[in-house]
Amino acid sequence: MAAMAGLQSSMTALSLSSNSFLGQRLSFPPSLSPLPVKPRENPCLIVVKLKRWERKECKPNSLPVLHKMHVKVGDTIKVISGRDKGKIGEITEIFKHNSTVIVKDINLKTKHMKSREEGQPGQIIKIEAPIHSSNVMLYSKEKDVASRVGHKVLDNGKKVRYLIKTGEILDSDENWKKLKEAEKEKTEVAAAAAPSA
């Protein structure tokens, strides 16, 4: 009982007055007011390692910066510089983070494959390596000419790409349907091959 009374008296002695700083906002004197912070207009870009020899630019949310490209999958192109200069092919894959494209049967590299199983021998195969998109130019099969790409809006309000030299429209509905059908056939073939393996 005596201990309880002693504890209560010590608590009342420790109680703080109403003008104490607890529960109130801190106010700085005018001379020590914090400086206003300006928001940065251009936040610095983060660079992420993609491979040991390659860097990938990233936005502040760590997503890669994707570059706009003048070519799309399915376009017919002509290589305008490099070892395969003058060759014509079709784009099978694009990589927007480093502006490169893979063209069917162009820029072939030799790859030495190790054997996967003990009885299976190793092999040397040819694979298509990426080419920078600045080294390729859109090509018209009908008029056999390479051209730069332009953009225009049709009467129905659809924005399309066209070849500047020939005026040929690239983003037509027929081309889009052909591309989708080819993609669908690929997935069907892959699905049919998967259960048999």
Side-chain angles (χ1 to χ4, degrees):
M1 192 79 162
M4 196 67 151
L7 186 62
Q8 282 180 344
S9 64
S10 64
M11 289 298 276
T12 53
L14 283 176
S15 66
L16 300 170
S17 62
S18 62
N19 62 357
S20 69
F21 64 90
L22 287 177
Q24 296 180 358
R25 289 183 154 211
L26 283 173
S27 60
F28 291 101
S31 61
L32 295 176
S33 64
L35 296 172
V37 178
K38 294 179 185 174
R40 294 169 85 181
E41 291 177 14
N42 296 330
C44 63
L45 295 174
I46 303 165
V47 176
V48 174
K49 280 177 94 172
L50 182 66
K51 293 179 182 169
R52 280 178 299 169
W53 60 88
E54 189 178 12
R55 298 282 188 267
K56 191 198 294 192
E57 275 187 4
C58 288
K59 295 183 256 183
N61 61 358
S62 298
L63 292 174
V65 174
L66 301 179
H67 305 287
K68 287 187 178 178
M69 297 175 69
H70 67 286
V71 290
K72 291 183 180 178
V73 174
D75 287 347
T76 303
I77 56 95
K78 183 176 187 177
V79 180
I80 57 171
S81 71
R83 189 185 66 197
D84 294 319
K85 181 176 179 176
K87 291 187 180 176
I88 296 159
E90 188 177 321
I91 292 180
T92 56
E93 200 173 344
I94 63 171
F95 303 105
K96 288 190 175 183
H97 69 273
N98 57 4
S99 296
T100 56
V101 296
I102 290 182
V103 185
K104 190 175 182 180
D105 297 330
I106 290 181
N107 197 25
L108 295 173
K109 303 287 181 190
T110 306
K111 183 172 177 134
H112 296 257
M113 299 283 288
K114 275 189 175 180
S115 59
R116 296 263 176 178
E117 299 165 8
E118 286 199 20
Q120 183 183 9
Q123 53 186 334
I124 298 172
I125 59 168
K126 297 270 187 184
I127 60 164
E128 296 145 352
I131 307 172
H132 198 269
S133 64
S134 65
N135 296 336
V136 299
M137 204 171 199
L138 287 163
Y139 184 78
S140 171
K141 289 180 186 173
E142 290 144 19
K143 304 212 176 165
D144 295 332
V145 65
S147 170
R148 288 183 297 132
V149 68
H151 300 272
K152 65 180 174 183
V153 179
L154 298 177
D155 296 336
N156 60 4
K158 187 176 178 185
K159 188 177 179 183
V160 294
R161 297 176 306 144
Y162 72 100
L163 296 179
I164 290 176
K165 279 189 185 174
T166 62
E168 180 185 330
I169 293 176
L170 297 171
D171 295 333
S172 64
D173 293 331
E174 294 118 29
N175 292 350
W176 184 251
K177 285 176 186 173
K178 282 180 194 173
L179 188 64
K180 285 294 178 186
E181 285 171 9
E183 198 173 290
K184 193 175 181 181
E185 285 174 16
K186 274 187 187 177
T187 54
E188 286 173 2
V189 169
S196 62

